[in-house]
Amino acid sequence: MTKAKTKSKAKTALQKVKFYQTGTLTVGNRLMDEDARSVQASMDRSNALTSGHRACQGCGEALGARYAIDAAMRAVNNRIVAVNATGCLEVFTTPYPETAWSIPWIHSLFGNAAAVATGVAAANRVKGRKDVKVIAQGGDGGTTDIGFGCLSGMFERNDDVLYICYDNEAYMNTGVQRSSATPPTARTATTPSVGDKPGNVFGTGKNLPLIAMAHNIPYVATASVSDLHDLETKVTRAMDIKGSRYIHIFVPCPLGWGTAAHDTIRIARLAMESGLFPLFEAEHGEVNSSSPIRRQVPVEDYLRPQRRFAHLFKKGHEDTESIARLQAMADANIKRFNLLRKHNQRDEL
Amino acid sequence: MKPFAITLDVGTSLANHTGSWRNERPVYLDRLPPCNAACPAGENIQAWLYHAEEGDYHAAWQEIMQHNPMPAIMGRVCYHACEGACNRGKVDEAVGIHAVERFLGDEAQKKGWTVDCASPSGKNVLVIGAGPSGLSAAYHLARLGHAVTIHEAGPFSGGMMRFGIPKYRLPREVLDAEVQRILDMGVTLKVDSKVDDIQALMKDGGFDACFVAVGAHLAKRANIPAGDASHILDAVSMLRGMETEAEPPLLGRRVVVYGGGNTAVDVARTAKRLGASEALIVYRRTREQMPAHDFEMEEAEEEGVLVHWLRTIKQIEDTTFTVEKMALNDDGWPEPTGEFETIEADTLVLALGQDVDTSFLEKVPGVNIAKDGVVDVDETMMTGCDGIFAGGDMVPAERTVTVAVGHGKKAARNIDAYLRRFRYKPPPKHEVAEFENLNSWYYTDADQRVQPALDLIRRQTTFQEVLGGLDETNALFEARRCLSCGNCFECDNCYGVCPDNAVIKLGPGKRFEFNYDYCKGCGMCVAECPCGAIKMVPEEN
């Protein structure tokens, strides 16, 4: 590890805080120093994605995007350009001539966000603008399927771009079709809950964070709207690194998943606490940190509140085999990323 | 500040008022914390913990003093109903409220903190009895600007706090300091001054109102056939003797205490400390039915106090006690079984409860003595006689120091209203914050801080205080374990989790506001509020 990297890590590492009633689990905390609080707790956060956007009630993606872009803006003194793939995030924020973005923002095609971002970064380099950072962002469809070739190229060339994928596990904007990020057994418009094995099949799909790591890029991380402090720490760290960086953020979709609008964060938390969505970081292809599970739950707790998994829990016909296979996936994550290690939950005073 | 490189002003999504999508709206509210709801003295516990969390112990103490004049005493002897109700008990363990209160009370004594009084009202109030209820009333009346004189029949102030609660639970220097602070506010205390004729005294002394709180000091007796040589005492005079006599009462080696209340436990533990090799409580019902509190029973058993459950004493012959075994019937009442056994003991102490000496009140016109010997009062604590109020152990209620202190406060507020000719109306109560209203995920796990306890040998041989206090570090930690049930503590969660940026942060101490122009009514703020200070209500149209 280079000297510069060590320094950046010290600056952005989650601070060890004393016991302050809620520790760092809440967005802010009146008992904590201002700079130990989250960006979202600040009265002058940038609200890069502002009010009036047309996302559904309780949209996880709208929330995740504001969390990430606000943190990125704080990290580099607001000097960013964002390139957006087609998808919900583009459609609900920017129905021309109106936009909810208060940053320089560009949209081209569904599949070319990574390539356009590469171009913006190249233009900046040519013009000698070292202070302006480039972020590319899109949903799981634009990232794992349609834009995958461009993204892989961007990684391979190590272009100076942070790519953020907001993963809601299907094409929500066009009517909830399956993507290669859709989990097994989930019902979508193209994987209906009919037949012997209803919903999406097992053994398909891609794990993009692991694919990104295989490109040996400087930084890969997963994050979730249910852990704001962790998300902000990762975005801040990514903004301090040069080269290709990738952050994959878990953002539940009330409409596509069939969950209550107020449950978005709770569902994301259950994904994290069941082990189905592990939070980790990797540098140059090596995992170097993960967030331990605080209160472990069985996958059933995560699946049951979602209508896209309702066919697993039909009265009298519970699909125990599929539930067990999903649990096995969670258990594999727990083992792989060491999520059940003891961690000191009680911050010392 | 205009963001870098932005030229587009028109065309912002802010023109799109998404609030019109909503059919339910979130609203902020304050709910009543369960601790506050449970406190017999009506303390705003959460409010003083809030100050203590910031390390502002003076403000915390002042908040307690709005309701309770004796935090150092209360933190030691109160049976803390608040902790039984505490929602944190469902997360890990209840907040040790009493321990923090005691810390604040001790800090106040160390630092000499005082309270302010209103300007003099010109009214005189007579208080009869210097127990917790009388002292509390005197304190609150003095703060409201009235001149107060307390007449106390006994030689010292404190009432049952001195004559009922042993030193090892309440050191006398703590009691004296708390009383002294009340006297320093200008309250006059006359000891050894038994009142026989209230109305004459009120007339002669120019008193405008009177609060009677003489307590319940007459020991109940039991009809046990006993020989002349038997040594029988009652708990009230024995515990009182510990304070007023030069020598402690002679109990002998083996002491039997008859009764199952906290007083019985206090007597047994005192006997142990006075050198009894055997202190045995005899109670006619079971442990579950015993009115004594669990923690006191546990401490007593640690010190070697023994208990015989389901026994009644039938006869005493010198040092031989004949006891009959009892059995619970289907209704849970003990019934004699006809089986007998004998115990050898030197002394019997009766701890069967106390009655009120109401003789001096019987001559006051209008005052009604209820069947069980306690005095009837209305909802303002006034007796049937205009201007004469009563409270504490002598009126129908649970007999604890905390209830008595609460009576004193309530009576003082009503006496103040009576003197100023208005009717005191307590503010309406909010709905209670239930555990289901909270999102406990957000609270860091934290075990209760433990108060240090005196070692067992000292507990069996001396009257040193059994429990020590928390140091500042631990008291602060304990205060911060408060979940702030039902009341916003500005954690910024609602402000952070709104996908529509529709929560306005107003700044420290000012809480938040909803921007209903953009709030879509998803309810995430309600679901993610740790303390249950937001709720959804239907839109009207």
Side-chain angles (χ1 to χ4, degrees):
Chain A
M1 197 180 282
T2 64
K3 243 184 182 172
K5 223 171 271 161
T6 320
K7 197 181 132 214
S8 79
K9 204 151 188 189
K11 196 175 82 188
T12 55
L14 267 179
Q15 290 192 23
K16 173 95 182 146
V17 293
K18 297 171 185 174
F19 178 68
Y20 289 120
Q21 195 164 24
T22 56
T24 49
L25 296 168
T26 46
V27 170
N29 190 327
R30 70 188 172 98
L31 301 170
M32 237 158 57
D33 285 344
E34 292 264 3
D35 43 337
R37 302 181 200 175
S38 71
V39 175
Q40 288 301 314
S42 163
M43 282 179 81
D44 47 39
R45 70 184 187 206
S46 46
N47 286 318
L49 175 51
T50 194
S51 310
H53 63 72
R54 291 154 198 245
C56 307
Q57 282 185 328
C59 176
E61 188 170 35
L63 190 59
R66 194 187 72 224
Y67 282 179
I69 302 299
D70 280 1
M73 287 178 79
R74 156 99 48 113
V76 295
N77 198 21
N78 300 340
R79 304 255 143 176
I80 59 169
V81 174
V83 179
N84 218 120
T86 305
C88 270
L89 187 63
E90 170 251 324
V91 170
F92 77 66
T93 59
T94 316
Y96 183 80
E98 199 177 282
T99 185
W101 292 106
S102 44
I103 48 168
W105 182 90
I106 179 173
H107 166 243
S108 172
L109 298 173
F110 208 149
N112 66 356
V116 172
T118 296
V120 175
N124 276 339
R125 195 176 61 240
V126 169
K127 292 175 81 176
R129 304 238 22 195
K130 287 189 179 150
D131 56 331
V132 181
K133 301 286 177 187
V134 183
I135 291 177
Q137 53 182 357
D140 49 292
T143 306
T144 69
D145 297 341
I146 301 176
F148 183 65
C150 294
L151 181 62
S152 181
M154 183 194 106
F155 286 161
E156 175 269 323
R157 295 184 302 270
N158 198 24
D159 293 322
D160 191 18
V161 174
L162 166 62
Y163 193 102
I164 301 175
C165 170
Y166 303 102
D167 180 8
N168 56 20
E169 303 190 331
Y171 290 85
M172 300 314 184
N173 170 43
T174 48
V176 198
Q177 292 87 4
R178 175 198 179 276
S179 80
S180 58
T182 302
T185 75
R187 179 208 66 191
T188 66
T190 46
T191 57
S193 60
V194 292
D196 282 355
K197 288 285 164 199
N200 193 28
V201 293
F202 279 94
T204 59
K206 303 174 192 167
N207 186 328
L208 212 68
L210 297 185
I211 295 171
M213 280 165 60
H215 289 77
N216 208 20
I217 56 175
Y219 188 74
V220 173
T222 60
S224 167
V225 283
S226 61
D227 193 338
L228 171 65
H229 287 265
D230 177 74
L231 187 156
E232 288 188 349
T233 304
K234 286 168 176 169
V235 170
T236 307
R237 192 168 295 164
M239 292 310 283
D240 209 34
I241 296 171
K242 211 169 148 49
S244 268
R245 295 141 282 152
Y246 180 74
I247 299 183
H248 191 98
I249 302 178
F250 190 78
V251 290
C253 170
L255 180 81
W257 297 11
T259 52
H262 62 255
D263 269 346
T264 299
I265 291 181
R266 184 171 80 96
I267 294 292
R269 191 152 57 224
L270 290 167
M272 200 169 83
E273 294 301 281
S274 64
L276 278 176
F277 191 83
L279 299 185
F280 65 90
E281 287 176 295
E283 289 187 34
H284 298 289
E286 294 292 332
V287 173
N288 60 8
S289 86
S290 66
S291 303
I293 288 171
R294 190 164 160 244
R295 298 180 186 171
Q296 196 191 9
V297 296
V299 290
E300 195 179 324
D301 286 18
Y302 165 69
L303 303 170
R304 205 181 264 280
Q306 305 183 43
R307 278 205 305 281
R308 63 175 174 157
F309 295 115
H311 52 270
L312 300 180
F313 301 101
K314 263 197 197 141
K315 260 207 182 121
H317 301 88
E318 284 210 0
D319 188 351
T320 46
E321 192 204 323
S322 293
I323 298 170
R325 288 183 77 178
L326 288 161
Q327 183 64 54
M329 286 167 62
D331 293 344
N333 283 336
I334 288 169
K335 196 168 163 224
R336 175 174 203 156
F337 297 102
N338 191 19
L339 302 180
L340 273 187
R341 66 184 188 272
K342 270 228 157 83
H343 72 145
N344 192 7
Q345 293 177 341
R346 194 177 70 216
D347 301 311
E348 292 302 327
L349 186 81
Chain B
M1 184 192 71
K2 204 161 189 174
F4 149 80
I6 285 283
T7 52
L8 203 66
D9 254 346
V10 284
T12 164
S13 64
L14 292 173
N16 187 22
H17 285 191
T18 51
S20 61
W21 302 10
R22 191 176 60 229
N23 49 28
E24 277 188 311
R25 66 166 59 198
V27 290
Y28 289 105
L29 79 164
D30 288 301
R31 288 187 165 109
L32 178 63
C35 50
N36 292 11
C39 180
E43 284 187 25
N44 190 346
I45 295 164
Q46 191 185 82
W48 59 255
L49 283 172
Y50 186 89
H51 293 301
E53 285 152 27
E54 292 172 344
D56 190 348
Y57 306 123
H58 183 249
W61 181 80
Q62 288 288 357
E63 170 52 48
I64 298 179
M65 296 296 283
Q66 292 293 322
H67 302 279
N68 189 334
M70 298 173 282
I73 296 174
M74 209 54 56
R76 288 174 164 86
V77 306
C78 177
Y79 293 117
H80 40 75
C82 50
E83 294 181 28
C86 176
N87 278 329
R88 179 129 206 161
K90 299 193 181 94
V91 179
D92 38 37
E93 294 161 281
V95 177
I97 296 168
H98 73 279
V100 182
E101 184 171 34
R102 170 180 168 158
F103 168 79
L104 295 170
D106 289 351
E107 278 292 292
Q109 292 194 357
K110 247 184 263 166
K111 309 240 162 93
W113 292 335
T114 56
V115 295
D116 298 328
C117 296
S119 53
S121 65
K123 301 284 185 185
N124 288 318
V125 184
L126 170 66
V127 173
I128 304 175
S133 201
L135 287 167
S136 166
Y139 163 85
H140 284 286
L141 287 164
R143 282 200 84 170
L144 290 161
H146 308 299
V148 184
T149 306
I150 308 177
H151 282 251
E152 163 59 43
F156 305 108
S157 62
M160 277 299 180
M161 296 188 291
R162 189 183 303 270
F163 300 127
I165 299 173
K167 283 184 186 133
Y168 59 83
R169 281 176 58 205
L170 176 58
R172 297 307 180 236
E173 57 276 16
V174 174
L175 170 61
D176 291 340
E178 297 280 79
V179 173
Q180 192 55 48
R181 191 174 48 233
I182 296 171
L183 300 182
D184 289 345
M185 291 164 67
V187 171
T188 309
L189 171 67
K190 294 184 173 168
V191 293
D192 291 322
S193 169
K194 191 164 163 44
V195 176
D196 282 318
D197 189 337
I198 297 181
Q199 286 175 308
L201 179 60
M202 281 181 73
K203 205 166 161 221
D204 298 342
F207 292 107
D208 304 292
C210 173
F211 178 65
V212 190
V214 296
H217 292 263
L218 298 179
K220 284 187 183 162
R221 308 294 300 196
N223 250 338
I224 304 169
D228 293 342
S230 310
H231 189 214
I232 302 179
L233 297 170
D234 68 76
V236 179
S237 30
M238 181 207 139
L239 291 173
R240 189 185 175 88
M242 294 290 300
E243 300 300 317
T244 53
E245 306 298 326
E247 294 293 325
L250 293 171
L251 297 174
R253 213 166 49 75
R254 299 158 302 178
V255 179
V256 168
V257 186
Y258 198 19
N262 287 313
T263 308
V265 182
D266 286 341
V267 168
R269 295 177 71 182
T270 300
K272 235 6 210 183
R273 284 166 169 78
L274 290 175
S277 55
E278 234 173 68
L280 173 68
I281 294 174
V282 174
Y283 180 52
R284 65 192 177 98
R285 300 171 76 178
T286 60
R287 169 85 185 249
E288 291 72 42
Q289 293 163 314
M290 203 174 182
H293 288 86
D294 280 346
F295 71 91
E296 261 209 82
M297 216 32 246
E298 278 159 26
E299 286 179 11
E301 282 175 330
E302 283 165 17
E303 290 162 14
V305 169
L306 302 170
V307 191
H308 276 200
W309 313 106
L310 290 166
R311 300 284 190 282
T312 51
I313 301 177
K314 300 307 282 184
Q315 199 184 336
I316 306 170
E317 200 78 48
D318 289 341
T319 58
T320 307
F321 290 52
T322 307
V323 298
E324 182 171 10
K325 290 189 185 174
M326 308 294 277
L328 293 185
N329 66 15
D330 294 343
D331 298 329
W333 287 95
E335 279 180 355
T337 61
E339 283 178 62
F340 297 90
E341 58 188 23
T342 58
I343 311 171
E344 287 295 316
D346 303 307
T347 306
L348 171 66
V349 184
L350 300 172
L352 302 168
Q354 291 102 254
D355 287 323
V356 184
D357 180 2
T358 52
S359 55
F360 73 111
L361 274 169
E362 279 156 22
K363 18 185 173 171
V364 180
V367 173
N368 185 38
I369 314 292
K371 245 189 275 166
D372 46 357
V374 290
V375 176
D376 268 345
V377 288
D378 65 12
E379 72 280 359
T380 70
M381 310 293 296
M382 186 149 76
T383 65
C385 178
D386 188 58
I388 298 184
F389 298 72
D393 286 358
M394 64 183 291
V395 304
E398 201 192 341
R399 287 176 174 173
T400 68
V401 173
T402 321
V403 168
V405 165
H407 282 177
K409 175 181 85 169
K410 189 173 168 193
R413 291 189 178 168
N414 282 301
I415 290 169
D416 180 62
Y418 171 85
L419 295 174
R420 298 182 200 265
R421 300 186 195 285
F422 71 94
R423 204 164 170 83
Y424 172 69
K425 250 198 168 161
K429 284 199 161 110
H430 297 294
E431 61 182 88
V432 172
E434 308 288 350
F435 185 69
E436 291 65 38
N437 298 130
L438 311 180
N439 186 337
S440 71
W441 168 262
Y442 289 102
Y443 298 103
T444 323
D445 305 343
D447 303 332
Q448 195 179 64
R449 305 285 94 173
V450 180
Q451 288 173 266
L454 200 64
D455 70 72
L456 209 50
I457 298 299
R458 287 216 173 112
R459 277 166 61 178
Q460 288 165 331
T461 51
T462 75
F463 282 87
Q464 281 179 43
E465 187 169 21
V466 172
L467 282 183
L470 297 180
D471 61 17
E472 201 239 317
T473 312
N474 282 321
L476 182 66
F477 187 96
E478 197 56 40
R480 287 178 170 185
R481 293 182 68 242
C482 173
L483 309 180
S484 192
C485 306
N487 296 283
C488 176
F489 60 109
E490 297 183 29
C491 72
D492 295 327
N493 260 19
C494 51
Y495 177 60
V497 303
C498 178
D500 294 288
N501 190 27
V503 176
I504 302 164
K505 181 172 176 171
L506 300 173
K510 297 183 195 146
R511 299 187 173 184
F512 308 86
E513 237 171 48
F514 289 109
N515 185 345
Y516 292 115
D517 282 350
Y518 300 109
C519 166
K520 291 171 185 161
C522 69
M524 204 117 80
C525 49
V526 177
E528 301 304 319
C529 175
C531 68
I534 316 174
K535 72 172 175 185
M536 298 302 284
V537 296
E539 285 293 340
E540 302 218 328
N541 37 28

